[in-house]
Each structure stands twice: as C-alpha cells, then as structure tokens.
Amino acid sequence: YFAVLIYSGRASENNFLKHKNILKKELENENINIISAAIRATYDSPFTLPMNRRNEAMFKISFD
C-alpha cells in the first residue's frame, strides 16, 4: 500500500519537502508504519500553469 498526498504548484524541492513532511506527520499521528523513503511523482509538463499541475508525495506503508 501507498499513502499519497496530492498537491498542486511547481515541482520544486521545497514544495515536495513541505508536502512530504505533512504526509509523514499525519502517518506518524495515525501510527501507520512507513517502510520506504519518500517518493515524488509529477504528472504535468513545465508549461502547465502551476495551479493546474498535479504532484504527489507518497510513502510505501504497512499496517503490520
């Protein structure tokens, strides 16, 4: 399983780190085991307006 946080905007390192940390904090609050490093996914071209871009921060998780 993967836990995913979808966000818009530029695919910059700072934007990714911000949303990765939000997701990590929520998973830790819910006592969900994170079993991978953070993964970044971007789906739109650089010419797409930032507010229309889809990006994701995700972790592989385990419920064991």
Side-chain angles (χ1 to χ4, degrees):
Y1 294 99
F2 287 86
V4 178
L5 179 63
I6 299 169
Y7 61 97
S8 62
R10 298 196 184 275
S12 68
E13 184 70 17
N14 287 338
N15 204 13
F16 170 69
L17 292 174
K18 173 186 166 186
H19 291 89
K20 174 199 76 132
N21 290 334
I22 291 169
L23 178 58
K24 185 176 180 181
K25 187 175 182 179
E26 287 298 318
L27 293 171
E28 290 172 347
N29 287 343
E30 297 294 326
N31 296 317
I32 297 173
N33 297 322
I34 299 170
I35 58 174
S36 75
I39 301 165
R40 178 192 328 208
T42 58
Y43 296 97
D44 300 298
S45 79
F47 302 107
T48 303
L49 293 173
M51 66 212 149
N52 293 333
R53 292 182 187 171
R54 178 185 168 144
N55 306 301
E56 296 176 349
M58 64 182 89
F59 289 100
K60 190 170 186 180
I61 59 171
S62 170
F63 293 104
D64 297 337

